[in-house]
Amino acid sequence: MSKRPEFLENSMIIGAHPDDELLWFNSILRHADEVVIVFKDFWAQPHIGAARAAAIADYPRDRVTCLDIAESGAHGCADWSNPEESEFGLTLGLEANRRELTRFARISLSKVAAYPPGNIATASVARAYSANFKLIGEALRPRLSRQMNVFTHNPWGEYGHEEHVQVFRVLQRLREEIGFKLWMSNYCTNRALPLAMRYFESCPGSHLRLETDKPFADEVAATYKKHGCWTWADDWAWFDDECFMEAPREGADSASHQHLFPLNFFTIDDTRSRKWVPLALSVSVASAAIGVAISETI
């Protein structure tokens, strides 16, 4: 990028997790005025927060900061075959209940020293997810102004990440309040496509197409790998370019015909093993945990 384009004047990239700013915005990562990362700690990975802080301190550009908000652990909890939006981002379903069952079981086991208390979430996924919506908004509001160009996740969360969707929805609300220009990324997977298709009207808005900065992307990725907090595939290949489009406004009506703007479409392996209930968990404890899960997610 030989000349700084006008849309990067007074610009900010806001990514949910450390390395999101690299994966979805690397074409502008070197040139944006400021980079803000939302989440740092995650109870399921007790050492990840310190590793992320070290990577940010060692970042190969200045003005990269973190809001230090803890992850809710909501990834994978929405029904992506038929996603339902909520005031906090997306509605969390049975997966959140199962995780609450695990959390309650761990609390029970920690009381008899059978499970380390440091690896237990302090609140249910549903409660943490809803609380984070307010925390993110309060932390970002004083950093934003009407004259800014803000780049963030798209409303389907790139590959279908509930916390990416939440960050987008927070900024969508703040745009109505403050008036800045909000741009979204163009990455998508088949998992997220049902939600993505709801966001395009008959005539797509104009979009920006920029060449990716692969050398700088490799440098930033190496920094995350050095500090042990790279979360993406080691064999990930950067796209040749990225597109950014002004984000849709909340409550905008969809037209009868839909037209996608250019997408960087990819697939990921979404299979993972889960051990939700320890083998030693008794039927009575499991029953009690299910009751808590239901009451905390209604």
Side-chain angles (χ1 to χ4, degrees), residues 19-120:
D19 75 17
D20 281 331
E21 82 292 346
L22 167 63
L23 291 167
W24 323 123
F25 310 96
N26 88 69
S27 61
I28 60 171
L29 181 57
R30 190 198 296 261
H31 302 280
D33 288 319
E34 187 175 359
V35 178
V36 175
I37 298 167
V38 174
F39 300 111
K40 188 183 79 170
D41 296 315
F42 183 35
W43 65 267
Q45 298 173 277
H47 305 296
I48 194 71
R52 286 169 166 175
I56 292 171
D58 196 24
Y59 213 92
R61 60 150 288 170
D62 59 4
R63 300 193 70 184
V64 179
T65 58
C66 184
L67 301 182
D68 294 343
I69 295 173
E71 293 184 41
S72 64
H75 180 45
C77 289
D79 177 5
W80 283 96
S81 64
N82 185 27
E84 181 182 346
E85 294 173 290
S86 74
E87 60 179 314
F88 307 117
L90 291 175
T91 297
L92 308 183
L94 292 176
E95 184 65 30
N97 288 347
R98 284 194 288 266
R99 294 183 189 184
E100 178 60 3
L101 171 62
T102 302
R103 186 180 79 92
F104 192 78
R106 288 173 175 172
I107 291 172
S108 300
L109 292 171
S110 69
K111 293 177 180 178
V112 293
Y115 197 88
N119 288 10
I120 303 173

Side-chain angles (χ1 to χ4, degrees), residues 10 144-149 177-181:
N10 202 9
L144 301 170
S145 64
R146 183 178 181 84
Q147 298 76 25
M148 294 180 72
N149 285 286
E177 176 185 328
I178 298 171
F180 52 83
K181 195 163 189 177

Side-chain angles (χ1 to χ4, degrees), residues 135-264:
L135 291 175
I136 296 167
E138 290 175 343
L140 287 176
R141 184 176 288 106
R143 292 172 175 252
L144 301 170
S145 64
R146 183 178 181 84
Q147 298 76 25
M148 294 180 72
N149 285 286
V150 178
F151 294 80
T152 196
H153 300 282
N154 49 49
W156 55 90
E158 283 79 36
Y159 56 94
H161 197 306
E162 291 80 350
E163 289 179 324
H164 295 190
V165 174
Q166 182 174 66
V167 170
F168 171 82
R169 294 289 296 280
V170 169
L171 285 163
Q172 194 179 42
R173 297 277 180 89
L174 289 175
R175 173 178 57 180
E176 297 304 313
E177 176 185 328
I178 298 171
F180 52 83
K181 195 163 189 177
L182 183 62
W183 301 88
M184 67 182 190
S185 71
N186 75 319
Y187 289 85
C188 188
T189 65
N190 55 330
R191 179 173 185 249
L193 192 58
L195 182 55
M197 289 298 297
R198 301 176 191 175
Y199 282 91
F200 299 99
E201 299 183 8
S202 56
C203 294
S206 59
H207 61 270
L208 311 169
R209 185 188 295 273
L210 300 173
E211 184 179 349
T212 53
D213 189 345
K214 296 179 183 180
F216 188 62
D218 288 338
E219 186 179 357
V220 176
T223 302
Y224 281 119
K225 292 174 183 178
K226 170 185 173 183
H227 293 282
C229 54
W230 174 248
T231 64
W232 208 238
D234 288 332
D235 61 350
W236 174 253
W238 309 108
F239 281 78
D240 291 332
D241 54 35
E242 296 174 331
C243 293
F244 300 100
M245 181 179 181
E246 189 169 0
R249 295 190 176 272
E250 188 172 15
D253 294 332
S254 295
S256 57
H257 301 285
Q258 296 176 320
H259 192 154
L260 290 173
F261 87 115
L263 294 176
N264 283 355

